[in-house]
Amino acid sequence: MTIKDTPAEWEIRATQTPFRGNKTSVRTDEVVMPDGSVVGRDYQVHPGSVAVLALDEEDRVLLINQYRHPVRHKLWEIPAGLLDVPGENPLHAAQRELYEEAHVKAEDWRVLTDVYTTPGGCDEAVRIFLARDLSEAEGVRFEAEHEETDMEHARVPVDELVRRVLAGDVHNNCLVVGVLSLVAARGGDGLDGLDGLRPADAPWPARPFES
């Protein structure tokens, strides 16, 4: 048995969109099950996202602290944002988010991992990049608004961040997946280290793009 996710699409008898928001919507599909029954499935339709685990020369991860209203928490996170334009190159989006949220640029980019955040109720796909060789970005700082006006920044050593993840002190999915993937890539048996990670322009079937 090969352990690899594979595309599949069960028959949909009917579909409707009872809610449309600014960036996302909610869809209801009537899906035919293997036994022939038809069951309603509600889920959020999402454009997709990118996130950036930015690692500096002192082995620290760049974090931001931001209020997240749905969970009523201020969460420590890695820079991230939506794929605002259909077909947008995810690398370009990640570079934009790193600039806007941290005023930082990076010279070395690789794909760290790709994830579906909540596949039981949302079709959001996220590509998490590893960014290295960091420096201060040039030009005027991006003008923050809404939750981002209260944003804090920190740089946390990888080892400490892993301890925080395992202690249940941080909960953002991209941060958790990103830092644990980084540690695994560095030391896992049969892996080639960070140089063995996929290139930044690697194909992403969940959100196809043009180079």
Side-chain angles (χ1 to χ4, degrees):
M1 179 182 296
T2 301
I3 305 301
K4 182 178 181 179
D5 297 339
T6 55
E9 188 169 351
W10 293 357
E11 180 185 352
I12 298 173
R13 291 281 174 85
T15 186
Q16 57 180 322
T17 306
F19 170 79
R20 295 183 186 273
N22 185 34
K23 296 292 186 180
T24 67
S25 60
V26 174
R27 182 176 297 163
T28 300
D29 290 341
E30 299 297 324
V31 185
V32 180
M33 298 290 111
D35 64 0
S37 62
V38 179
V39 179
R41 289 290 179 260
D42 304 319
Y43 59 99
Q44 182 185 21
V45 179
H46 194 286
S49 306
V50 292
V52 184
L53 194 145
L55 188 67
D56 70 13
E57 68 282 356
E58 296 181 38
D59 206 40
R60 301 177 301 175
V61 176
L62 191 158
L63 301 182
I64 59 176
N65 188 250
Q66 187 172 349
Y67 176 65
R68 293 300 189 183
H69 187 71
V71 296
R72 309 300 198 272
H73 271 72
K74 291 190 71 175
L75 300 180
W76 285 104
E77 307 179 349
I78 56 177
L82 298 175
L83 291 168
D84 294 320
V85 180
E88 181 178 17
N89 187 313
L91 174 60
H92 299 165
Q95 292 170 331
R96 180 185 67 237
E97 294 300 330
L98 186 61
Y99 165 76
E100 291 181 355
E101 295 192 347
H103 202 67
V104 166
K105 64 179 181 178
E107 298 301 323
D108 186 276
W109 291 83
R110 296 177 186 271
V111 175
L112 190 53
T113 192
D114 299 325
V115 295
Y116 290 116
T117 54
T118 50
C122 179
D123 71 351
E124 180 184 16
V126 180
R127 168 156 283 189
I128 304 176
F129 289 91
L130 173 65
R132 294 179 292 175
D133 194 5
L134 309 182
S135 62
E136 188 81 2
E138 301 174 354
V140 179
R141 283 185 174 272
F142 180 76
E143 187 173 346
E145 60 180 2
H146 306 309
E147 291 91 344
E148 294 180 350
T149 59
D150 192 38
M151 187 180 291
E152 301 174 68
H153 296 81
R155 296 196 182 201
V156 180
V158 171
D159 289 346
E160 179 183 345
L161 201 48
V162 170
R163 289 194 293 271
R164 295 291 182 182
V165 168
L166 298 179
D169 293 333
V170 294
H171 306 86
N172 175 262
N173 57 356
C174 291
L175 168 57
V176 171
V177 172
V179 72
L180 296 184
S181 295
L182 171 69
V183 173
R186 281 173 163 177
D189 292 339
L191 300 177
D192 298 323
L194 300 185
D195 290 336
L197 292 171
R198 287 172 290 163
D201 61 352
W204 189 17
R207 293 294 185 274
F209 63 92
E210 296 183 5
S211 300

